[in-house]
Amino acid sequence: MASVTKDQVLAALADILDPDTGQSIVAGGLISGVVVRDGNVGFTLEVDPARGAAMEPLRKACEAAVERLSGVLSVTAVMTAERQAGGRAQDRAQGHGQAQGHAHGHAHGGQAQAAGAQQAPELLPGVKSVIAVASGKGGVGKSTTAVNIATAMAARNVRVGLLDCDIYGPSIPRMLNLSGQPEMAGERTLRPMANYGIKCMSIGFLVAEDTAMIWRGPMVMQALEQMMRDVEWGALDVLICDLPPGTGDAQLTMAQRVPLTGAVIVSTPQDIALLDVTRGINMFQQVNVPIFGVVENMSYYVCPQCGHRAELFHHGGARETAHRLGVDFLGEIPLDLDIRTTSDAGRPIVVTQPESPHAGAYRQIASALIDKAASALGGAGRPQPRIVMM
């Protein structure tokens, strides 16, 4: 069976008319980000916010038109109610929107966002606790920490999932030695991939590894919601969310839409990283997310030949910052070649070298987080998040 092409998709959509203008939705600039991969088709239907709720039949008609094409295995039309009147043809001509096709085959658009005041469906109904792993800046080893914490929890028979929230730079699939595309669990639901006893979902499963994700904030937020709402996570004790660095759209989406049980901040010891730790802690506190603690990564280096210990990036700064801000210090992880090589190979050190002191440090942190999550769930709960505009 011949594979469908992008031109064929656009031709099928060109026959569909905007009910308000009578113009083709393709000519009118409502379609963007067409992605075709192995028979799976995804594209975005961009509409004016005022028309969002009424445009759901049009979205379904788009999917039906493409599904009739030979070689199509699945179709996902993502509707975003952020389009301004006048179309977006000029944006696409300037190169915007070409990478904005949503992850194909895994969800059905932003009806909740488009419908405005309509009640959004519940996210993660079978998940007991959600722990965010965050950092104020990139390059501090946050994803490596998240993966090893998750594998340490799984080793204790905790039912754990790992959600890769870094839309722009997903790295969890490689770190968990996962590849390919998730299977469909239903008409609009995906099964998470799994390895080392961890269920995992990442945008990295749905796009090529070298794809540049040129998505604006609303697209990122919608993608995160769909990776929670439209994935068959099942019953989990803990869902670890590996957030992208900083205090942007992904963090605010998680705080707004997900009842985060708590957050972990990962940092290196140097002063410039610790400034960002303070910002990250303040952001989570402003949206009423408990801070479970701070992890100091790359805390020190021990020469494998002579055993000499060197504190390349200073040492103890994260502990001091945590004490100053009144949050717990969870532990320190050294700068070590084995941690780096096992992560790059998709074989976390907690799994491949479980008796090593480094694996022991991760297990200690994981144990503390399990206890903190249980304690938080046993309490009265946290207030509903509120976003403070600074």
Side-chain angles (χ1 to χ4, degrees):
M1 180 184 296
S3 179
V4 67
T5 67
K6 178 179 176 180
D7 289 341
Q8 289 174 315
V9 172
L10 290 173
L13 294 173
D15 293 333
I16 300 177
L17 304 182
D18 184 330
D20 288 351
T21 66
Q23 185 181 20
S24 164
I25 60 173
V26 174
L30 274 66
I31 300 298
S32 68
V34 178
V35 176
V36 179
R37 183 182 179 189
D38 299 329
N40 300 294
V41 180
F43 54 89
T44 301
L45 175 66
E46 299 189 41
V47 301
D48 190 286
R51 304 172 62 197
M55 296 295 276
E56 174 60 11
L58 182 65
R59 187 193 67 79
K60 291 182 177 179
C62 291
E63 288 188 341
V66 176
E67 282 175 347
R68 289 192 289 267
L69 294 174
S70 177
V72 171
L73 300 178
S74 68
V75 182
T76 296
V78 174
M79 183 167 62
T80 60
E82 57 170 327
R83 181 178 181 272
Q84 300 300 316
R88 290 184 42 79
Q90 181 179 0
D91 285 347
R92 290 194 300 278
Q94 295 173 347
H96 302 295
Q98 292 301 318
Q100 292 177 357
H102 199 280
H104 28 277
H106 84 281
H108 56 74
Q111 293 96 323
Q113 180 182 3
Q118 291 185 4
Q119 181 66 38
E122 183 183 4
L123 298 178
L124 306 171
V127 178
K128 290 183 180 180
S129 59
V130 183
I131 300 176
V133 179
S135 65
K137 66 187 296 292
V140 300
K142 170 185 54 58
S143 295
T144 299
T145 302
V147 166
N148 279 286
I149 287 174
T151 52
M153 289 182 175
R156 289 187 51 177
N157 295 319
V158 174
R159 296 173 298 177
V160 60
L162 181 54
L163 175 60
D164 187 353
C165 298
D166 195 341
I167 301 299
Y168 298 113
S171 58
I172 298 300
R174 174 172 290 197
M175 290 186 174
L176 284 180
N177 196 26
L178 289 169
S179 61
Q181 292 184 325
E183 296 178 352
M184 299 296 295
E187 184 179 356
R188 296 295 173 199
T189 308
L190 287 180
R191 289 192 179 93
M193 306 283 276
N195 199 10
Y196 307 125
I198 302 168
K199 293 182 178 180
C200 177
M201 180 52 62
S202 170
I203 199 73
F205 296 139
L206 304 167
V207 299
E209 191 174 44
D210 58 354
T211 298
M213 302 299 290
I214 311 172
W215 285 5
R216 293 164 297 172
M219 299 288 286
V220 172
M221 291 186 282
Q222 189 175 81
L224 287 174
E225 288 196 18
Q226 291 182 325
M227 286 196 294
M228 291 181 281
R229 183 184 63 234
D230 298 329
V231 171
E232 192 180 67
W233 288 104
L236 294 178
D237 298 312
V238 180
L239 179 66
I240 301 292
C241 295
D242 179 36
L243 300 185
T247 54
D249 294 319
Q251 290 84 350
L252 293 179
T253 293
M254 298 300 291
Q256 285 180 298
R257 293 287 290 117
V258 182
L260 290 176
T261 315
V264 178
I265 308 295
V266 181
S267 178
T268 50
Q270 65 264 51
D271 291 343
I272 191 66
L274 295 172
L275 287 174
D276 293 314
V277 168
T278 302
R279 296 188 186 99
I281 289 176
N282 288 338
M283 188 277 292
F284 280 114
Q285 288 177 338
Q286 287 177 20
V287 294
N288 296 320
V289 175
I291 303 297
F292 280 173
V294 177
V295 174
E296 182 170 279
N297 198 32
M298 308 182 200
S299 183
Y300 56 89
Y301 173 76
V302 176
C303 176
Q305 303 301 323
C306 67
H308 173 70
R309 171 168 165 158
E311 297 171 352
L312 302 179
F313 303 118
H314 184 48
H315 177 260
R319 184 190 298 270
E320 295 171 4
T321 300
H323 179 73
R324 176 171 57 83
L325 297 176
V327 300
D328 288 345
F329 181 71
L330 296 173
E332 53 188 37
I333 307 296
L335 176 65
D336 187 86
L337 180 62
D338 286 345
I339 296 176
R340 195 273 298 171
T341 56
T342 54
S343 297
D344 287 349
R347 303 172 67 243
I349 197 166
V350 169
V351 174
T352 57
Q353 301 179 27
E355 302 305 317
S356 69
H358 310 327
Y362 285 120
R363 285 197 301 271
Q364 181 178 350
I365 294 170
S367 178
L369 293 177
I370 292 170
D371 291 343
K372 286 178 176 292
S375 177
L377 293 174
R382 68 181 178 90
Q384 289 296 312
R386 61 184 179 88
I387 302 303
V388 180
M389 301 302 294
M390 303 300 289

